[in-house]
Amino acid sequence: MTTPVLLPLSGRRIPPLNLGPPSFPHHRATLRLSEKFILLLILSAFITLCFGAFFFLPDSSKHKRFDLGLEDVLIPHVDASKGAKNPGVFLIHGPDEHRHREEEERLRNKIRADHEKALEEAKEKLKKSREEIRAEIQTEKNKVVQEMKTKEKKPLPPVPIPNLVGIDGGDPEDNDIRKKREKIKEMMKHAWDNYRIYGWGHNELRPIARKGHSTNIFGNSQMGATIVDALDTLYIMGLHDEFRDGQKWIENNLDFSVNSEVSVFEVNIRFIGGLLAAYYLSGEEIFKIKAVQLAEKLLPAFNTPTGIPWAMVNLKSGVGRNWGWASAGSSILAEFGTLHMEFVHLSYLTGDPVYYRKVMHIRKLLQKMDRPNGLYPNYLNPRTGRWGQYHTSVGGLGDSFYEYLLKAWLMSDKTDHEARKMYDDAIEAIEKHLIKKSRGGLTFIGEWKNGHLEKKMGHLACFAGGMFALGADGSRMDRAGHYLELGAEIARTCHESYDRTALKLGPESFKFDGAVEAVAVRQAEKYYILRPEVIETYWYLWRFTHDPRYRQWGWEAALAIEKYCRVSGGFSGVKDVYSSTPTHDDVQQSFFLAETLKYLYLLFSSDDLLPLDHWVFNTEAHPLPVLHLANTTLSGNPAVR
Ligand code: DMJ
């Protein structure tokens, strides 16, 4: 800073602080010091301005404002069609003019006093030596660090812990089934041990290169995604040493104050979901604390004109943005619509309604919007609150939004009727417009794009078989039988998509076009990346029907994974399921441990392990307890017992 600085209040020109030449060791301190000084001056100017402006404001703006809070939660900030509004604010009018005058006078005096104090402080600062000022800055810094630490350590309020039923065991009676279950556990050990050796602390593993791996959903961070994602699977399999190893890493290394831009959705389903599930299963407080710390870091993503969150957020700066590829700068339905379960639990565990309010706000906004043919488009612009491209799918971009409507209802002990209604309405529209039967008699879920139905179904959409079965009970006009049947038909179609390949593993996406049925056509759609959705559907169908075909189909998939995806350094996806000599993609996805192996293990367990009337699985297969609020107990947590 070499030019003189103007002090706005007095008009006096004062020289800049002379802190010596900006030689290297002092340079940063010099800059910071000058910045601080300027900050003080700006503050003085700001106070002066406010002081002056106060007298020029119209009378009504000086009246006191009251925010109803709750209204703000229940009604969107911006209604795309009607413009901005803020129903949570009202003014006090009335005869008590005198009282208002006194109040104004009091405020004026306060502003005057603050202003003078700030000036005094600025003058005092100018009298101090460089060392003194530096020491003060250091003290302030230490104070902030200390405050942050205290905040991190602050214990969360004790809340009644839901009755936790069936968190271990599940030994099947049948010997053959028990052996299969053991085999799945061994596969988990292989995946975990290799990650432990070659990828520890990285997000994922490259099992062939034998090193860590990551993708843009985790930004440039090394947040141990596989550890967090795998914890609850380790726990239910009884792999307690491995679980404790993971816990130790989390205690000592998992840090969210990183300058990294992450996917809000992925971090929510894998990290927050994983940490919450680990907390409920083990009762270890650290998981809850980490989940809450991380959730706080995600909150700035909701600072958009509509309250619909950005797809990505920088964990350090809080700056958010959307994926460059998303239609018209939109946020994605399956991303902003897949936060509900975790956020409700966060509010439940912290006693802080902020999380609940964020997701309810999204729900209310969606309820108000027009839906073409009753379908939810996949893209919604967070600035304007308008839909982007009219593309609807139950697979990628849409999938877990529908799943979370149903699961919000289940998780609330079936009391969240609003969520159930939204689910029922959505499913009716989906059935009417997207679900068709192929010539060969296979039921499939197509995608609505550019005004017509694309007869293509993604591997991701195969989860819907399980969803239909899970939602059968409680369906409108008691159509439980119909939805169970629909679920079974989707399971059959998805099984066909596996069975019609050389490797007996399903492609990423398959078509129904003329003679082509349940087969991928484009080379780019022939890969299998260890995804869980088909096995997930087998498991739900197994739980609801006990039809042995689901265990048989699940076992076929497990054997194919073992044969074609297992390598000495872990498990890898394959690039072409139609080629009998597979090429590996060299990625062991974290969801392979969180979901694929967990669903397989549950498929070969008895139903008393994580029973579905007590647990609801988030979209990454992390079990969260149903909040039977009438039936909770403060000592229900195994850690407290
Ligand atoms: C998982 O991360 C979740 O299941 C998500 O909902 C979508 N797909 C992947 C696994 O395929």
Side-chain angles (χ1 to χ4, degrees):
M1 289 281 195
T2 49
T3 41
V5 180
L6 187 70
L7 189 68
L9 183 74
S10 63
R12 255 185 330 133
R13 274 174 185 271
I14 56 162
L17 275 181
N18 183 4
L19 297 170
S23 59
F24 180 70
H26 297 184
H27 191 57
R28 276 177 57 201
T30 309
L31 275 179
R32 272 201 222 116
L33 197 50
S34 310
E35 278 165 12
K36 193 175 165 73
F37 178 60
I38 288 174
L39 216 70
L40 277 169
L41 296 183
I42 292 172
L43 187 72
S44 309
F46 179 65
I47 293 170
T48 311
L49 273 176
C50 296
F51 187 59
F54 188 76
F55 292 98
F56 293 103
L57 288 175
D59 261 8
S60 60
S61 351
K62 293 179 198 166
H63 290 153
K64 222 175 176 182
R65 296 175 131 220
F66 289 86
D67 198 326
L68 292 180
L70 190 65
E71 287 290 315
D72 203 33
V73 172
L74 299 175
I75 303 172
H77 305 138
V78 172
D79 181 328
S81 53
K82 298 187 191 100
K85 60 180 184 175
N86 190 347
V89 174
F90 69 88
L91 303 175
I92 290 192
H93 304 282
D96 208 356
E97 202 63 37
H98 182 64
R99 200 162 51 81
H100 286 305
R101 290 247 167 75
E102 278 182 359
E103 178 68 355
E104 276 177 13
E105 189 52 33
R106 198 186 60 73
L107 275 173
R108 244 184 245 124
N109 289 338
K110 186 174 181 319
I111 292 170
R112 209 173 282 137
D114 287 348
H115 170 69
E116 276 164 15
K117 197 171 153 219
L119 264 181
E120 281 308 313
E121 277 174 11
K123 277 188 206 158
E124 281 305 305
K125 278 267 182 300
L126 286 173
K127 283 185 205 154
K128 288 184 180 161
S129 73
R130 187 171 67 191
E131 280 66 35
E132 279 175 308
I133 296 177
R134 234 186 237 158
E136 272 182 24
I137 292 173
Q138 195 50 50
T139 318
E140 275 172 41
K141 269 188 184 170
N142 293 345
K143 220 170 99 193
V144 172
V145 172
Q146 205 42 48
E147 272 169 13
M148 278 169 69
K149 277 194 184 149
T150 333
K151 201 176 162 203
E152 277 177 14
K153 277 190 192 144
K154 214 172 93 190
L156 292 162
V159 291
I161 295 299
N163 230 345
L164 301 175
V165 177
I167 59 174
D168 45 30
D171 247 352
E173 278 175 19
D174 185 307
N175 206 22
D176 173 53
I177 301 299
R178 199 174 306 134
K179 276 195 202 140
K180 286 178 173 152
R181 189 167 100 128
E182 273 308 303
K183 177 63 199 167
I184 305 299
K185 185 169 165 180
E186 186 278 327
M187 289 167 78
M188 179 72 183
K189 269 282 281 168
H190 182 68
W192 174 265
D193 288 349
N194 279 289
Y195 167 77
R196 178 74 183 85
I197 300 168
Y198 304 115
W200 196 233
H202 289 266
N203 290 318
E204 290 174 325
L205 167 71
R206 283 201 178 281
I208 296 170
R210 297 181 186 230
K211 59 179 194 185
H213 170 260
S214 198
T215 63
N216 63 342
I217 58 173
F218 306 118
N220 54 15
S221 64
Q222 276 192 33
M223 302 204 301
T226 297
I227 302 176
V228 184
D229 235 4
L231 279 175
D232 52 10
T233 310
L234 294 171
Y235 190 94
I236 63 164
M237 289 182 174
L239 293 167
H240 294 302
D241 290 345
E242 289 78 358
F243 180 90
R244 264 191 298 277
D245 213 9
Q247 178 179 343
K248 234 181 272 156
W249 186 88
I250 286 171
E251 273 164 3
N252 299 328
N253 303 287
L254 189 53
D255 174 22
F256 306 118
S257 308
V258 284
N259 184 8
S260 184
E261 194 178 48
V262 300
S263 155
V264 174
F265 158 77
E266 297 287 357
V267 162
N268 176 57
I269 65 169
R270 299 189 200 212
F271 285 82
I272 296 188
L275 289 165
L276 289 177
Y279 166 67
Y280 281 118
L281 291 174
S282 69
E284 295 290 347
E285 201 70 11
I286 182 69
F287 298 126
K288 177 168 74 171
I289 291 169
K290 291 284 178 188
V292 174
Q293 282 173 4
L294 179 53
E296 274 181 29
K297 297 276 181 188
L298 295 188
L299 287 179
F302 292 80
N303 295 337
T304 64
T306 56
I308 294 290
W310 299 115
M312 284 175 281
V313 71
N314 183 304
L315 291 176
K316 191 158 207 160
S317 68
V319 174
R321 70 180 174 104
N322 275 343
W323 303 109
W325 49 262
S327 158
S330 293
S331 301
I332 308 291
L333 183 68
E335 298 197 332
F336 65 77
T338 310
L339 304 167
H340 195 97
M341 294 178 67
E342 297 80 3
F343 275 45
V344 166
H345 271 279
L346 285 166
S347 277
Y348 177 70
L349 291 172
T350 58
D352 185 346
V354 65
Y355 308 103
Y356 174 76
R357 287 179 179 166
K358 297 287 180 207
V359 288
M360 285 308 281
H361 177 82
I362 295 174
R363 182 192 284 181
K364 293 293 171 191
L365 190 139
L366 286 175
Q367 274 182 327
K368 282 185 161 191
M369 298 200 50
D370 282 340
R371 283 177 285 133
N373 287 330
L375 297 169
Y376 288 90
N378 289 336
Y379 299 103
L380 179 60
N381 188 310
R383 291 183 202 275
T384 62
R386 295 202 182 92
W387 297 121
Q389 192 195 351
Y390 281 10
H391 172 206
T392 298
S393 69
V394 181
L397 308 179
D399 48 9
S400 42
F401 163 67
Y402 306 101
E403 177 185 355
Y404 270 35
L405 290 176
L406 174 65
K407 290 182 174 175
W409 173 69
L410 290 167
M411 209 182 75
S412 70
D413 204 9
K414 303 186 180 172
T415 58
D416 185 350
H417 302 294
E418 188 178 67
R420 176 77 214 204
K421 181 182 179 311
M422 286 174 80
Y423 171 77
D424 286 336
D425 289 345
I427 295 307
E428 266 176 35
I430 284 167
E431 233 192 311
K432 191 162 165 204
H433 299 287
L434 305 185
I435 299 186
K436 302 282 168 213
K437 236 190 182 98
S438 71
R439 281 196 212 156
L442 293 178
T443 302
F444 66 93
I445 314 175
E447 299 194 3
W448 192 258
K449 224 175 195 175
N450 307 324
H452 80 281
L453 185 75
E454 242 190 286
K455 295 179 177 173
K456 181 177 116 178
M457 184 168 171
H459 192 288
L460 289 166
C462 285
F463 94 96
M467 178 177 74
F468 292 140
L470 185 64
D473 190 23
S475 59
R476 258 180 210 158
M477 295 180 301
D478 199 19
R479 300 184 74 209
H482 166 74
Y483 285 111
L484 209 53
E485 184 50 37
L486 185 58
E489 284 178 28
I490 298 297
R492 183 164 83 92
T493 301
C494 294
H495 175 251
E496 285 302 316
S497 79
Y498 274 50
D499 208 40
R500 296 175 186 197
T501 70
L503 304 187
K504 304 291 173 201
L505 290 169
E508 178 67 3
S509 167
F510 42 93
K511 288 233 155 125
F512 296 86
D513 242 351
V516 174
E517 298 220 338
V519 171
V521 177
R522 292 176 46 216
Q523 189 57 38
E525 293 169 341
K526 295 181 177 172
Y527 60 88
Y528 172 68
I529 54 168
L530 304 169
R531 286 200 191 277
E533 291 77 17
V534 176
I535 295 166
E536 173 182 352
T537 276
Y538 295 160
W539 174 61
Y540 279 109
L541 263 300
W542 163 256
R543 276 272 168 112
F544 290 114
T545 66
H546 281 180
D547 183 333
R549 86 172 68 173
Y550 298 114
R551 276 187 164 166
Q552 186 198 318
W553 290 352
W555 187 239
E556 282 169 16
L559 288 181
I561 291 171
E562 177 71 1
K563 187 164 175 193
Y564 299 113
C565 301
R566 186 174 181 137
V567 292
S568 57
F571 287 88
S572 161
V574 290
K575 290 185 179 165
D576 184 350
V577 290
Y578 299 95
S579 155
S580 45
T581 46
T583 320
H584 293 115
D585 67 6
D586 198 13
V587 180
Q588 179 175 285
Q589 306 275 350
S590 78
F591 54 67
F592 178 63
L593 294 87
E595 299 190 72
T596 313
L597 292 174
K598 185 186 284 131
Y599 286 130
L600 278 169
Y601 187 77
L602 288 168
L603 183 62
F604 299 108
S605 298
S606 54
D607 295 357
D608 53 354
L609 180 58
L610 299 174
L612 285 172
D613 46 352
H614 286 269
W615 295 92
V616 187
F617 289 71
N618 89 339
T619 193
E620 188 80 359
H622 296 306
L624 298 175
V626 171
L627 296 173
H628 301 282
L629 290 177
N631 185 24
T632 49
T633 152
L634 261 175
S635 59
N637 189 319
V640 180
R641 272 199 298 263

